Short mmCIF file of all heavy atoms in Angstrom, two decimals:
data_model
loop_
_atom_site.label_atom_id
_atom_site.label_comp_id
_atom_site.label_asym_id
_atom_site.label_seq_id
_atom_site.Cartn_x
_atom_site.Cartn_y
_atom_site.Cartn_z
N ASN A 352 -7.27 12.64 15.58
CA ASN A 352 -5.95 13.18 15.27
C ASN A 352 -6.21 14.52 14.58
O ASN A 352 -7.10 14.64 13.74
CB ASN A 352 -5.20 12.25 14.32
CG ASN A 352 -4.87 10.92 14.95
OD1 ASN A 352 -4.75 10.80 16.16
ND2 ASN A 352 -4.71 9.91 14.12
N TYR A 354 -4.52 18.08 12.64
CA TYR A 354 -3.40 18.50 11.80
C TYR A 354 -3.51 19.98 11.43
O TYR A 354 -4.60 20.49 11.21
CB TYR A 354 -3.39 17.69 10.49
CG TYR A 354 -3.26 16.20 10.65
CD1 TYR A 354 -4.37 15.41 10.96
CD2 TYR A 354 -2.03 15.57 10.50
CE1 TYR A 354 -4.26 14.05 11.11
CE2 TYR A 354 -1.91 14.19 10.64
CZ TYR A 354 -3.02 13.44 10.95
OH TYR A 354 -2.91 12.08 11.10
N TYR A 356 -1.86 22.35 8.36
CA TYR A 356 -1.11 22.42 7.12
C TYR A 356 -1.01 23.87 6.66
O TYR A 356 -1.88 24.69 6.96
CB TYR A 356 -1.80 21.64 6.00
CG TYR A 356 -1.86 20.15 6.16
CD1 TYR A 356 -2.92 19.53 6.80
CD2 TYR A 356 -0.85 19.34 5.64
CE1 TYR A 356 -2.98 18.16 6.92
CE2 TYR A 356 -0.90 17.96 5.76
CZ TYR A 356 -1.97 17.37 6.40
OH TYR A 356 -2.03 16.01 6.52
N GLN A 358 -0.45 25.95 2.92
CA GLN A 358 -0.42 25.80 1.48
C GLN A 358 -0.04 27.13 0.85
O GLN A 358 -0.76 28.12 0.99
CB GLN A 358 -1.79 25.35 0.97
CG GLN A 358 -1.83 25.05 -0.51
CD GLN A 358 -3.19 24.55 -0.95
OE1 GLN A 358 -4.22 24.92 -0.39
NE2 GLN A 358 -3.22 23.69 -1.96
N GLY A 361 -0.74 27.94 -5.26
CA GLY A 361 -0.48 27.00 -6.34
C GLY A 361 0.40 25.82 -5.96
O GLY A 361 0.94 25.14 -6.83
N ARG A 362 0.52 25.57 -4.68
CA ARG A 362 1.40 24.49 -4.24
C ARG A 362 0.64 23.45 -3.43
O ARG A 362 -0.54 23.58 -3.14
CB ARG A 362 2.52 25.09 -3.37
CG ARG A 362 3.34 26.17 -4.05
CD ARG A 362 4.16 25.62 -5.19
NE ARG A 362 5.16 24.70 -4.73
CZ ARG A 362 6.36 25.06 -4.31
NH1 ARG A 362 6.70 26.33 -4.26
NH2 ARG A 362 7.24 24.15 -3.92
N GLY A 363 1.37 22.41 -3.06
CA GLY A 363 0.78 21.37 -2.25
C GLY A 363 0.72 21.75 -0.78
O GLY A 363 0.98 22.89 -0.41
N LEU A 364 0.36 20.78 0.03
CA LEU A 364 0.20 21.01 1.46
C LEU A 364 1.48 20.66 2.22
O LEU A 364 2.06 19.59 2.02
CB LEU A 364 -0.94 20.16 2.01
CG LEU A 364 -2.34 20.72 1.87
CD1 LEU A 364 -2.77 20.77 0.42
CD2 LEU A 364 -3.32 19.91 2.70
N LEU A 366 2.80 19.88 5.87
CA LEU A 366 2.38 19.55 7.23
C LEU A 366 3.20 20.35 8.23
O LEU A 366 4.43 20.31 8.20
CB LEU A 366 2.53 18.06 7.48
CG LEU A 366 2.17 17.57 8.88
CD1 LEU A 366 0.69 17.83 9.18
CD2 LEU A 366 2.50 16.09 9.03
N TYR A 369 0.99 18.05 14.05
CA TYR A 369 -0.11 17.12 14.25
C TYR A 369 -0.18 16.74 15.71
O TYR A 369 0.80 16.87 16.46
CB TYR A 369 -0.01 15.89 13.34
CG TYR A 369 1.13 14.95 13.64
CD1 TYR A 369 0.96 13.84 14.47
CD2 TYR A 369 2.37 15.14 13.04
CE1 TYR A 369 2.00 12.97 14.72
CE2 TYR A 369 3.41 14.26 13.28
CZ TYR A 369 3.22 13.18 14.12
OH TYR A 369 4.26 12.32 14.35
N VAL A 371 -2.06 13.82 18.50
CA VAL A 371 -2.85 12.61 18.72
C VAL A 371 -3.63 12.68 20.02
O VAL A 371 -4.38 11.75 20.33
CB VAL A 371 -1.96 11.35 18.70
CG1 VAL A 371 -1.29 11.21 17.34
CG2 VAL A 371 -0.91 11.41 19.82
N GLU A 379 6.51 19.12 12.48
CA GLU A 379 7.15 18.54 11.30
C GLU A 379 8.21 19.45 10.72
O GLU A 379 9.18 18.98 10.14
CB GLU A 379 6.09 18.25 10.22
CG GLU A 379 5.22 17.06 10.55
CD GLU A 379 6.00 15.77 10.54
OE1 GLU A 379 6.55 15.39 9.49
OE2 GLU A 379 6.10 15.13 11.62
N PHE A 408 -2.10 29.92 3.07
CA PHE A 408 -3.43 29.40 3.35
C PHE A 408 -3.25 28.28 4.36
O PHE A 408 -2.58 27.29 4.10
CB PHE A 408 -4.03 28.89 2.04
CG PHE A 408 -5.49 28.55 2.11
CD1 PHE A 408 -6.40 29.44 2.64
CD2 PHE A 408 -5.95 27.34 1.61
CE1 PHE A 408 -7.75 29.13 2.69
CE2 PHE A 408 -7.30 27.02 1.66
CZ PHE A 408 -8.20 27.91 2.21
N LEU A 410 -4.65 25.33 6.74
CA LEU A 410 -5.73 24.35 6.78
C LEU A 410 -5.61 23.47 8.00
O LEU A 410 -4.53 22.96 8.31
CB LEU A 410 -5.71 23.48 5.52
CG LEU A 410 -6.13 24.17 4.22
CD1 LEU A 410 -5.60 23.40 3.02
CD2 LEU A 410 -7.64 24.28 4.16
N GLN A 414 -8.70 13.51 11.66
CA GLN A 414 -8.64 12.15 11.15
C GLN A 414 -9.08 11.23 12.28
O GLN A 414 -8.70 11.44 13.43
CB GLN A 414 -7.22 11.82 10.71
CG GLN A 414 -6.98 10.43 10.17
CD GLN A 414 -5.49 10.17 9.98
OE1 GLN A 414 -4.68 10.50 10.85
NE2 GLN A 414 -5.11 9.60 8.84
N GLY A 418 -5.77 5.64 12.68
CA GLY A 418 -4.92 6.00 11.56
C GLY A 418 -5.38 5.40 10.25
O GLY A 418 -6.38 4.71 10.16
N TYR A 419 -4.63 5.69 9.22
CA TYR A 419 -4.88 5.16 7.89
C TYR A 419 -6.31 5.41 7.44
O TYR A 419 -6.91 4.61 6.72
CB TYR A 419 -4.57 3.66 7.83
CG TYR A 419 -3.14 3.37 8.21
CD1 TYR A 419 -2.84 2.71 9.39
CD2 TYR A 419 -2.08 3.79 7.41
CE1 TYR A 419 -1.51 2.47 9.75
CE2 TYR A 419 -0.77 3.55 7.75
CZ TYR A 419 -0.49 2.88 8.93
OH TYR A 419 0.80 2.63 9.28
N ASN A 420 -6.85 6.54 7.88
CA ASN A 420 -8.18 6.94 7.46
C ASN A 420 -8.10 8.25 6.70
O ASN A 420 -7.08 8.93 6.72
CB ASN A 420 -9.09 7.13 8.68
CG ASN A 420 -9.24 5.88 9.49
OD1 ASN A 420 -9.44 4.80 8.94
ND2 ASN A 420 -9.13 6.01 10.80
N GLU A 421 -9.21 8.58 6.07
CA GLU A 421 -9.24 9.84 5.34
C GLU A 421 -9.21 11.00 6.32
O GLU A 421 -9.58 10.88 7.49
CB GLU A 421 -10.47 9.93 4.45
CG GLU A 421 -11.79 9.85 5.20
CD GLU A 421 -12.31 8.43 5.26
OE1 GLU A 421 -11.50 7.50 5.47
OE2 GLU A 421 -13.53 8.26 5.11
N GLN A 422 -8.75 12.14 5.81
CA GLN A 422 -8.77 13.37 6.60
C GLN A 422 -9.93 14.24 6.15
O GLN A 422 -10.33 14.22 4.98
CB GLN A 422 -7.45 14.13 6.41
CG GLN A 422 -6.26 13.46 7.05
CD GLN A 422 -5.00 14.29 6.90
OE1 GLN A 422 -4.71 14.79 5.83
NE2 GLN A 422 -4.23 14.41 7.98
N PHE A 423 -10.42 15.02 7.09
CA PHE A 423 -11.50 15.96 6.81
C PHE A 423 -10.98 17.36 7.12
O PHE A 423 -10.51 17.61 8.23
CB PHE A 423 -12.73 15.62 7.65
CG PHE A 423 -13.28 14.26 7.35
CD1 PHE A 423 -12.88 13.16 8.09
CD2 PHE A 423 -14.19 14.09 6.32
CE1 PHE A 423 -13.36 11.89 7.81
CE2 PHE A 423 -14.68 12.82 6.04
CZ PHE A 423 -14.27 11.72 6.77
N PHE A 424 -11.11 18.23 6.15
CA PHE A 424 -10.48 19.54 6.23
C PHE A 424 -11.48 20.63 6.57
O PHE A 424 -12.65 20.60 6.17
CB PHE A 424 -9.81 19.88 4.90
CG PHE A 424 -8.53 19.14 4.68
CD1 PHE A 424 -8.52 17.83 4.23
CD2 PHE A 424 -7.31 19.77 4.93
CE1 PHE A 424 -7.33 17.15 4.03
CE2 PHE A 424 -6.11 19.10 4.74
CZ PHE A 424 -6.13 17.79 4.29
N GLY A 425 -10.96 21.63 7.28
CA GLY A 425 -11.73 22.84 7.50
C GLY A 425 -11.67 23.74 6.29
O GLY A 425 -10.98 23.44 5.31
N PRO A 426 -12.37 24.87 6.34
CA PRO A 426 -12.44 25.77 5.18
C PRO A 426 -11.17 26.59 4.96
O PRO A 426 -11.01 27.19 3.90
CB PRO A 426 -13.62 26.68 5.52
CG PRO A 426 -13.67 26.67 7.01
CD PRO A 426 -13.26 25.29 7.43
N GLY A 427 -10.29 26.61 5.94
CA GLY A 427 -9.02 27.31 5.77
C GLY A 427 -9.05 28.75 6.22
O GLY A 427 -10.11 29.38 6.31
N ARG A 429 -6.97 32.31 5.21
CA ARG A 429 -6.01 32.99 4.33
C ARG A 429 -5.30 34.06 5.13
O ARG A 429 -5.92 35.02 5.56
CB ARG A 429 -6.75 33.63 3.16
CG ARG A 429 -5.86 34.47 2.24
CD ARG A 429 -5.01 33.63 1.35
NE ARG A 429 -5.79 32.73 0.52
CZ ARG A 429 -5.27 31.74 -0.19
NH1 ARG A 429 -3.99 31.52 -0.17
NH2 ARG A 429 -6.06 30.98 -0.94
N ASN B 1382 0.34 1.96 2.87
CA ASN B 1382 -0.80 1.27 3.44
C ASN B 1382 -2.05 1.62 2.63
O ASN B 1382 -2.88 0.76 2.37
CB ASN B 1382 -0.98 1.68 4.89
CG ASN B 1382 -2.18 1.03 5.54
OD1 ASN B 1382 -3.31 1.47 5.34
ND2 ASN B 1382 -1.95 -0.02 6.30
N ASN B 1383 -2.15 2.88 2.28
CA ASN B 1383 -3.26 3.30 1.42
C ASN B 1383 -2.88 4.57 0.68
O ASN B 1383 -1.87 5.22 0.97
CB ASN B 1383 -4.56 3.51 2.22
CG ASN B 1383 -4.50 4.71 3.15
OD1 ASN B 1383 -4.17 5.80 2.76
ND2 ASN B 1383 -4.84 4.48 4.42
N GLN B 1385 -4.87 8.10 -1.04
CA GLN B 1385 -6.13 8.82 -1.08
C GLN B 1385 -6.08 9.92 -2.15
O GLN B 1385 -5.01 10.46 -2.43
CB GLN B 1385 -6.40 9.45 0.29
CG GLN B 1385 -6.39 8.44 1.42
CD GLN B 1385 -6.44 9.09 2.78
OE1 GLN B 1385 -7.21 10.02 2.99
NE2 GLN B 1385 -5.64 8.59 3.71
N TYR B 1387 -7.91 13.66 -3.14
CA TYR B 1387 -8.68 14.78 -2.62
C TYR B 1387 -8.90 15.79 -3.73
O TYR B 1387 -8.12 15.89 -4.68
CB TYR B 1387 -7.94 15.47 -1.47
CG TYR B 1387 -7.82 14.68 -0.20
CD1 TYR B 1387 -6.84 13.70 -0.06
CD2 TYR B 1387 -8.68 14.90 0.88
CE1 TYR B 1387 -6.73 12.97 1.10
CE2 TYR B 1387 -8.56 14.18 2.05
CZ TYR B 1387 -7.59 13.22 2.15
OH TYR B 1387 -7.47 12.50 3.32
N GLN B 1389 -9.77 20.05 -4.31
CA GLN B 1389 -9.79 21.35 -3.68
C GLN B 1389 -10.26 22.39 -4.68
O GLN B 1389 -9.62 22.62 -5.69
CB GLN B 1389 -8.39 21.75 -3.17
CG GLN B 1389 -8.38 23.08 -2.42
CD GLN B 1389 -7.00 23.48 -1.96
OE1 GLN B 1389 -6.01 23.20 -2.62
NE2 GLN B 1389 -6.91 24.16 -0.81
N GLY B 1392 -9.39 28.32 -3.11
CA GLY B 1392 -9.61 29.03 -1.87
C GLY B 1392 -10.41 28.28 -0.82
O GLY B 1392 -10.85 28.88 0.16
N ARG B 1393 -10.58 26.99 -1.02
CA ARG B 1393 -11.37 26.20 -0.08
C ARG B 1393 -10.53 25.08 0.52
O ARG B 1393 -9.38 24.84 0.13
CB ARG B 1393 -12.58 25.60 -0.80
CG ARG B 1393 -13.41 26.58 -1.58
CD ARG B 1393 -14.16 27.52 -0.66
NE ARG B 1393 -15.18 26.84 0.10
CZ ARG B 1393 -16.42 26.62 -0.33
NH1 ARG B 1393 -16.77 27.03 -1.53
NH2 ARG B 1393 -17.30 26.02 0.43
N GLY B 1394 -11.11 24.36 1.47
CA GLY B 1394 -10.44 23.21 2.04
C GLY B 1394 -10.52 22.02 1.11
O GLY B 1394 -11.21 22.04 0.09
N LEU B 1395 -9.78 20.98 1.44
CA LEU B 1395 -9.77 19.78 0.61
C LEU B 1395 -10.95 18.89 0.97
O LEU B 1395 -11.36 18.81 2.13
CB LEU B 1395 -8.47 18.99 0.82
CG LEU B 1395 -7.26 19.47 0.03
CD1 LEU B 1395 -6.73 20.78 0.55
CD2 LEU B 1395 -6.17 18.40 0.04
N VAL B 1396 -11.45 18.20 -0.04
CA VAL B 1396 -12.55 17.27 0.14
C VAL B 1396 -12.08 15.89 -0.26
O VAL B 1396 -11.52 15.71 -1.35
CB VAL B 1396 -13.77 17.68 -0.71
CG1 VAL B 1396 -14.87 16.63 -0.60
CG2 VAL B 1396 -14.30 19.04 -0.27
N HIS B 1397 -12.30 14.92 0.62
CA HIS B 1397 -11.86 13.56 0.34
C HIS B 1397 -12.73 12.94 -0.74
O HIS B 1397 -13.96 13.05 -0.72
CB HIS B 1397 -11.95 12.73 1.62
CG HIS B 1397 -11.49 11.34 1.45
ND1 HIS B 1397 -12.36 10.28 1.26
CD2 HIS B 1397 -10.26 10.80 1.42
CE1 HIS B 1397 -11.67 9.17 1.13
NE2 HIS B 1397 -10.39 9.46 1.23
N LEU B 1400 -10.42 6.57 -1.05
CA LEU B 1400 -9.29 5.94 -0.40
C LEU B 1400 -9.16 4.54 -0.98
O LEU B 1400 -10.14 3.80 -1.03
CB LEU B 1400 -9.49 5.87 1.12
CG LEU B 1400 -8.37 5.26 1.97
CD1 LEU B 1400 -8.40 5.85 3.39
CD2 LEU B 1400 -8.47 3.75 2.07
N ARG B 1402 -6.81 1.01 -0.69
CA ARG B 1402 -5.84 0.35 0.16
C ARG B 1402 -4.82 -0.39 -0.70
O ARG B 1402 -5.06 -0.69 -1.86
CB ARG B 1402 -6.55 -0.60 1.12
CG ARG B 1402 -7.58 0.12 1.98
CD ARG B 1402 -8.05 -0.66 3.17
NE ARG B 1402 -9.13 0.05 3.85
CZ ARG B 1402 -8.95 1.07 4.68
NH1 ARG B 1402 -7.73 1.51 4.93
NH2 ARG B 1402 -9.97 1.67 5.25
N PHE B 1440 -5.44 16.27 -5.52
CA PHE B 1440 -4.23 15.87 -4.80
C PHE B 1440 -4.31 14.39 -4.45
O PHE B 1440 -5.36 13.88 -4.08
CB PHE B 1440 -4.09 16.65 -3.49
CG PHE B 1440 -3.87 18.12 -3.66
CD1 PHE B 1440 -4.95 18.98 -3.79
CD2 PHE B 1440 -2.59 18.64 -3.69
CE1 PHE B 1440 -4.75 20.35 -3.94
CE2 PHE B 1440 -2.39 20.01 -3.85
CZ PHE B 1440 -3.46 20.85 -3.97
N SER B 1444 -0.10 7.08 2.53
CA SER B 1444 0.22 6.76 3.92
C SER B 1444 0.96 5.44 3.94
O SER B 1444 0.48 4.45 3.39
CB SER B 1444 -1.05 6.63 4.76
OG SER B 1444 -1.75 7.85 4.79
N GLY B 1445 2.14 5.44 4.57
CA GLY B 1445 2.94 4.23 4.62
C GLY B 1445 3.09 3.73 6.04
O GLY B 1445 2.13 3.41 6.71
N GLY B 1446 4.33 3.69 6.52
CA GLY B 1446 4.56 3.26 7.88
C GLY B 1446 3.92 4.17 8.89
O GLY B 1446 3.49 3.75 9.96
N SER B 1447 3.84 5.45 8.56
CA SER B 1447 3.15 6.41 9.40
C SER B 1447 1.74 6.59 8.87
O SER B 1447 1.51 6.57 7.67
CB SER B 1447 3.87 7.76 9.37
OG SER B 1447 3.04 8.79 9.87
N TYR B 1448 0.78 6.78 9.77
CA TYR B 1448 -0.60 6.95 9.33
C TYR B 1448 -0.83 8.34 8.76
O TYR B 1448 -1.89 8.63 8.26
CB TYR B 1448 -1.55 6.73 10.52
CG TYR B 1448 -1.21 7.59 11.71
CD1 TYR B 1448 -1.61 8.91 11.78
CD2 TYR B 1448 -0.48 7.07 12.77
CE1 TYR B 1448 -1.29 9.71 12.86
CE2 TYR B 1448 -0.14 7.86 13.85
CZ TYR B 1448 -0.55 9.19 13.89
OH TYR B 1448 -0.21 9.96 14.96
N ILE B 1449 0.18 9.19 8.86
CA ILE B 1449 0.01 10.56 8.41
C ILE B 1449 0.12 10.61 6.89
O ILE B 1449 1.14 10.24 6.32
CB ILE B 1449 1.08 11.47 9.02
CG1 ILE B 1449 1.00 11.41 10.54
CG2 ILE B 1449 0.91 12.90 8.53
CD1 ILE B 1449 2.16 12.08 11.24
N PRO B 1450 -0.95 11.09 6.20
CA PRO B 1450 -0.88 11.18 4.74
C PRO B 1450 0.11 12.25 4.31
O PRO B 1450 0.21 13.30 4.95
CB PRO B 1450 -2.31 11.57 4.35
CG PRO B 1450 -3.14 11.39 5.56
CD PRO B 1450 -2.23 11.53 6.73
N THR B 1451 0.83 11.96 3.24
CA THR B 1451 1.75 12.92 2.66
C THR B 1451 1.21 13.33 1.30
O THR B 1451 1.00 12.49 0.44
CB THR B 1451 3.15 12.31 2.51
OG1 THR B 1451 3.60 11.87 3.79
CG2 THR B 1451 4.12 13.37 1.99
N PHE B 1452 1.02 14.62 1.11
CA PHE B 1452 0.37 15.14 -0.08
C PHE B 1452 1.37 15.53 -1.15
O PHE B 1452 2.46 16.02 -0.87
CB PHE B 1452 -0.46 16.38 0.29
CG PHE B 1452 -1.70 16.06 1.05
CD1 PHE B 1452 -1.65 15.85 2.42
CD2 PHE B 1452 -2.92 15.97 0.41
CE1 PHE B 1452 -2.79 15.54 3.13
CE2 PHE B 1452 -4.07 15.67 1.12
CZ PHE B 1452 -4.01 15.45 2.48
N GLY B 1453 0.94 15.34 -2.40
CA GLY B 1453 1.68 15.85 -3.53
C GLY B 1453 1.31 17.29 -3.80
O GLY B 1453 0.57 17.91 -3.03
N ARG B 1454 1.82 17.82 -4.92
CA ARG B 1454 1.58 19.23 -5.23
C ARG B 1454 0.29 19.45 -6.00
O ARG B 1454 -0.13 20.59 -6.18
CB ARG B 1454 2.75 19.79 -6.02
CG ARG B 1454 4.03 19.83 -5.22
CD ARG B 1454 5.12 20.57 -5.95
NE ARG B 1454 6.32 20.69 -5.13
CZ ARG B 1454 7.36 21.42 -5.44
NH1 ARG B 1454 7.38 22.12 -6.55
NH2 ARG B 1454 8.40 21.47 -4.64
N GLY B 1455 -0.31 18.40 -6.47
CA GLY B 1455 -1.62 18.53 -7.09
C GLY B 1455 -1.61 18.72 -8.59
O GLY B 1455 -0.61 19.13 -9.19
#
Side-chain angles (χ1 to χ4, degrees):
Chain A
N352 294 334
Y354 300 81
Y356 292 91
Q358 185 177 31
R362 304 292 295 274
L364 276 68
L366 178 63
Y369 68 94
V371 299
E379 287 294 298
F408 191 50
L410 289 160
Q414 179 189 44
Y419 302 111
N420 299 315
E421 60 267 41
Q422 290 183 314
F423 298 92
F424 285 80
R429 175 75 58 191
Chain B
N1382 179 281
N1383 69 52
Q1385 304 172 43
Y1387 291 81
Q1389 183 182 34
R1393 308 290 293 273
L1395 277 72
V1396 175
H1397 181 261
L1400 182 153
R1402 302 195 186 281
F1440 295 87
S1444 298
S1447 165
Y1448 54 81
I1449 301 170
T1451 303
F1452 288 81
R1454 295 189 176 189

